[in-house]
Amino acid sequence: MSPHAVVSTADVPQLSANPEVNEWVVATAELTKPTRVVWCDGSDAEYDRLTQEMVEAGTLIRLNPEKRPNSFLARSDAGDVARVESRTYICSKREDDAGPTNNWRDPAEMRAELHPLLDGSMRGRTMYVVPFAMGPLGGAITQYGIEITDSPYVVASMALMTRSGSAALEYITPERQWVKALHTVGAPLVDADGNAREDVPWPHNETKYITHFPEDREIISFGSGYGGNALLGKKCFALRIASAMARDEGWLAEHMLLIQVTNPAGRTFTITGAFPSATGKTNLAMMRPKLPGWKVETIGDDIVWMRKGADGRLYAINPEYGFFGVAPGTGYHTNPVAMETITKNTIFTNVALTDDGDVWWEGMTEDAPEHLIDWQGNDWEADSAGKAAHPNARFTVRASQCPTISPDWESPDGVPVDAILFGGRRASNVPLVFQSKSWEHGCYLGATLASEQTAAAEGPVGKLRRDPFAMQPFAGYHMADYWGHWLSIGEELGDKAPKIFQVNWFRKDEHGDFLWPGFGENIRAIKWVTRRIENAVDAVETPIGNLPRTRDIDVEGLKDLSRDDLEPLFEVNPRSWLVELDVTKAYFEELGDKVPAQLFSQLDEVRGGLRAAAKED
Ligand code: GTP
Ligand code: SPV
Ligand code: MN
């Protein structure tokens, strides 16, 4: 058999008890024309075989086993380093269901456009079939899917990030809904004339399509091997498709972390937080608190699904099985728990390689090693101009390796939520922490969330961009309908709804320096949140929300910061807020007439209060 022969239909294994699954696998093989088809069982032996094959092919570098056992470095192509939002499409039947914040394409037209690209796209490659669960197997909030991919890097990553393999396949029965997720790097090993083409360590295609068909619960991703573009259980399924499912079925699929915080008295609070990409979810999820007697336990760092439970409260799970965390900025002084999580069994992507076969990135240690190989494979010295690691370099590791993982993290029914935080990178205006006046006002805070752009997606870093509910790139339907859905969930939960807060670790002084030390010190803001949940402290009512009295922020042991220094962190400047509100109003109007009237009323109320305050000034 020629190495680039096409598998014949008769040779495509049909391992599912569900005929629909087998038919889809066979049809996909007929279209993409791989050399062979492999169903992944999710075993350790399979993971070891795949990673070893990738080492031999040059896709992975095995790190020094004495430094980082069973760990690997992948270097992506420089043209494939982050999510590509400009090539991400929501292909709902009606354009109005995608809304102005998404790229929309007619589903039939998009399928027609993809067809010639998919035709023969896996020639010369292995087509892997990866069944997976999002959530604990059999759990009340769990959903299932199958990713077909021609990337062994994706298979290995899915093994760390999801509960994948034969056990998940058992749950994909004809009675259950499941998501079809087709992924190809779009780099066949045979050209149009049938001539063989050399493989490269990181195959991809300059043309990329990350497409979603919400009504069909289906994803087709072409041309990228990186992160959210390719690990389809993550943003494509667990946020874009799941948010559409959640709208239809009355639950929530969110870009959030999930933690349990225990105070010195032993009371535990469950808190979720929606922060935009690369804005601190992983760090808060793994926080080692700087206040004595406080404990943070990790359940999730990126995605949370929530559903009303039998007792009327909102229950949350982390649908993922691992972390795909930002490497730069992660060090023993900022996130020691992450550092302890990634000591072994980890895939690193686009970080630097040290001379002794370990990894390094900016922020891991104060001083860089004298010599490194940078993320693109070039020599790098401490005085080199460029960064050694790509700013969106990531680690991929199972959540079970996290030393602070909660004993409840796989609870099949989830955990009841006490509070929801919204947070962004805001150099000005937004206080360190404050509480919403109501669920509706909390939805207004979510809807008006904005943040400075990071390296997690293509685009200019640092520019302030709207990121409502941290879901701007991830809501699988009309953003204004999504806001309406949040309002209706609040109505349904009534007085059992979690309390809503806004936080901002990133406020700066006039020199551009952060006013707040962040990281483990963020427990001081979280402590105030828990005190509010307990009804133990009063708040100062302001037009933007209920702020802490500065005396209620615990500054005991806080280095270089006195209580007086807190003032600028909590300053509400009516004039600069009024400027921001004009922009917010214009933004609501741009979104069109689906924006819920309640959110306009919230805006008017905040503005009225600020105008009165500005006059008093
Ligand atoms: P995604 O995985 O992209 O969704 O990101 P994330 O929200 O999990 O972001 P992450 O926690 O990885 O943080 C991204 C960057 O923000 C890292 O470089 C962190 O070091 C930095 N960061 C996180 N928390 C803080 C903080 O409290 N203060 C400051 N100054 N930086 C922080
Ligand atoms: C994000 O960008 O929010 C991420 C990384 O968590 S990715 O999985 O690539 O979307
Ligand atoms: Mn994310």
Side-chain angles (χ1 to χ4, degrees):
M1 189 180 78
S2 130
H4 296 159
V6 174
V7 68
S8 73
T9 301
D11 290 336
V12 176
Q14 303 193 27
L15 301 192
S16 176
N18 183 344
E20 206 199 327
V21 171
N22 294 329
E23 280 160 28
W24 178 62
V25 169
V26 170
T28 303
E30 284 173 344
L31 175 62
T32 60
K33 306 183 174 53
T35 298
R36 57 182 194 137
V37 175
V38 170
W39 292 62
C40 296
D41 61 16
S43 64
D44 290 347
E46 178 181 80
Y47 184 85
D48 294 343
R49 193 170 60 243
L50 277 169
T51 48
Q52 183 55 33
E53 280 170 19
M54 283 190 276
V55 168
E56 283 154 22
T59 300
L60 295 183
I61 295 166
R62 189 181 293 277
L63 298 173
N64 181 344
E66 279 166 27
K67 302 263 168 194
R68 217 50 82 164
N70 195 29
S71 297
F72 304 90
L73 166 63
R75 293 189 191 120
S76 82
D77 190 277
D80 194 22
V81 294
R83 285 181 293 100
V84 284
E85 293 175 11
S86 61
R87 303 295 303 170
T88 300
Y89 300 91
I90 299 297
C91 309
S92 46
K93 291 199 175 98
R94 288 155 23 101
E95 181 168 9
D96 201 35
D97 282 334
T101 63
N102 283 306
N103 301 311
W104 175 81
R105 293 292 304 276
D106 174 80
E109 280 173 25
M110 181 54 91
R111 285 181 191 279
E113 192 167 318
L114 287 169
H115 192 273
L117 293 171
L118 295 172
D119 190 354
S121 61
M122 295 189 188
R123 274 179 185 273
R125 298 194 183 279
T126 300
M127 179 179 120
Y128 299 96
V129 181
V130 185
F132 63 95
M134 297 311 290
L137 291 168
I141 310 180
T142 300
Q143 298 283 342
Y144 303 87
I146 299 182
E147 177 159 354
I148 289 180
T149 179
D150 56 4
S151 161
Y153 169 87
V154 166
V155 178
S157 301
M158 287 292 284
L160 302 179
M161 293 301 298
T162 70
R163 296 159 178 91
S164 71
S166 313
L169 185 59
E170 296 297 308
Y171 285 85
I172 304 177
T173 55
E175 303 77 48
R176 240 195 209 103
Q177 83 173 336
W178 59 281
V179 170
K180 296 184 175 117
L182 169 56
H183 170 252
T184 170
V185 293
L189 293 174
V190 181
D191 69 17
D193 303 324
N195 301 315
R197 210 187 262 164
E198 280 282 311
D199 203 359
V200 292
W202 187 275
H204 76 122
N205 194 306
E206 271 172 42
T207 302
K208 295 178 172 62
Y209 285 89
I210 320 298
T211 70
H212 307 73
F213 301 86
E215 286 99 348
D216 299 327
R217 313 288 196 231
E218 189 173 345
I219 302 153
I220 302 176
S221 170
F222 178 91
S224 168
Y226 204 87
N229 300 329
L231 314 180
L232 302 185
K234 205 168 171 55
K235 301 299 158 87
C236 297
F237 178 169
L239 291 179
R240 298 198 191 93
I241 295 292
S243 63
M245 289 177 169
R247 167 200 58 191
D248 298 345
E249 300 166 8
W251 48 283
L252 294 168
E254 301 301 326
H255 191 205
M256 287 180 169
L257 66 99
L258 179 55
I259 52 176
Q260 290 165 321
V261 180
T262 304
N263 70 14
R267 178 159 172 198
T268 298
F269 305 85
T270 301
I271 300 176
T272 74
F275 305 172
S277 299
T279 301
K281 291 184 300 301
T282 303
N283 278 269
L284 182 53
M286 299 182 182
M287 180 170 52
R288 186 160 288 162
K290 289 281 172 85
L291 281 177
W294 287 76
K295 182 167 78 176
V296 169
E297 288 167 293
T298 312
I299 300 184
D301 82 325
D302 197 47
I303 298 174
V304 172
W305 287 355
M306 293 180 280
R307 204 186 265 266
K308 191 170 121 176
D311 61 359
R313 298 189 65 192
L314 191 61
Y315 281 72
I317 65 160
N318 169 15
E320 301 192 278
Y321 198 47
F323 307 125
F324 182 59
V326 177
T330 307
Y332 277 101
H333 55 297
T334 55
N335 191 346
V337 175
M339 294 302 286
E340 289 161 22
T341 305
I342 59 181
T343 52
K344 57 184 183 205
N345 309 321
T346 304
I347 299 176
F348 297 89
T349 307
N350 289 346
V351 302
L353 182 67
T354 65
D355 291 347
D356 57 0
D358 201 3
V359 287
W360 191 84
W361 49 77
E362 280 72 17
M364 180 198 266
T365 53
E366 206 164 315
D367 298 318
E370 263 168 41
H371 177 262
L372 293 164
I373 305 293
D374 74 10
W375 69 276
Q376 290 178 286
N378 301 317
D379 280 305
W380 188 93
E381 268 148 38
D383 57 1
S384 292
K387 292 202 187 304
H390 187 278
N392 193 36
R394 301 249 171 187
F395 54 79
T396 311
V397 65
R398 282 200 175 140
S400 55
Q401 274 186 207
C402 177
T404 57
I405 199 76
S406 158
D408 296 330
W409 89 278
E410 299 206 84
S411 160
D413 298 332
V415 288
V417 178
D418 296 300
I420 295 170
L421 315 178
F422 293 117
R425 283 181 186 263
R426 291 299 307 268
S428 62
N429 279 8
V430 181
L432 180 70
V433 57
F434 65 100
Q435 187 175 3
S436 72
K437 297 176 260 185
S438 62
W439 179 272
E440 282 188 10
H441 180 240
C443 289
Y444 168 82
L445 294 178
T448 55
L449 201 64
S451 197
E452 287 141 28
Q453 168 100 39
T454 67
E458 40 165 9
V461 171
K463 188 172 176 280
L464 192 70
R465 81 163 197 170
R466 295 265 154 202
D467 198 346
F469 291 79
M471 284 286 280
Q472 165 80 18
F474 308 122
Y477 61 102
H478 197 298
M479 185 57 78
D481 287 337
Y482 166 85
W483 298 348
H485 183 58
W486 262 83
L487 288 165
S488 70
I489 293 279
E491 267 168 44
E492 210 183 303
L493 295 169
D495 61 7
K496 296 209 168 93
K499 297 191 164 36
I500 300 180
F501 297 81
Q502 183 156 8
V503 298
N504 176 26
W505 318 142
F506 300 93
R507 199 154 173 175
K508 290 182 176 170
D509 63 16
E510 63 277 15
H511 311 294
D513 295 322
F514 288 122
L515 284 164
W516 181 249
F519 303 104
E521 304 290 7
N522 293 334
I523 190 64
R524 298 172 193 275
I526 302 298
K527 177 176 174 181
W528 185 77
V529 167
T530 67
R531 302 280 285 155
R532 290 293 292 168
I533 298 168
E534 291 184 299
N535 287 319
V537 284
D538 289 331
V540 184
E541 289 182 19
T542 81
I544 66 159
N546 297 333
L547 267 66
R549 300 175 299 193
T550 44
R551 68 165 181 274
D552 291 327
I553 297 293
D554 188 343
V555 291
E556 183 78 39
L558 187 57
K559 279 193 219 78
D560 308 324
L561 216 61
S562 70
R563 199 171 294 287
D564 290 344
D565 296 327
L566 295 180
E567 296 295 339
L569 278 161
F570 289 101
E571 196 209 355
V572 179
N573 181 324
R575 280 168 223 287
S576 62
W577 265 104
L578 284 167
V579 174
E580 175 159 349
L581 288 196
D582 286 343
V583 183
T584 302
K585 182 138 197 236
Y587 166 66
F588 279 7
E589 280 161 358
E590 259 169 55
L591 276 187
D593 48 17
K594 286 187 171 194
V595 174
Q598 293 102 305
L599 295 185
F600 277 106
S601 328
Q602 289 295 330
L603 192 145
D604 288 341
E605 200 177 304
V606 173
R607 189 159 51 175
L610 287 165
R611 280 197 178 139
K615 273 200 200 106
E616 279 169 28
D617 267 8

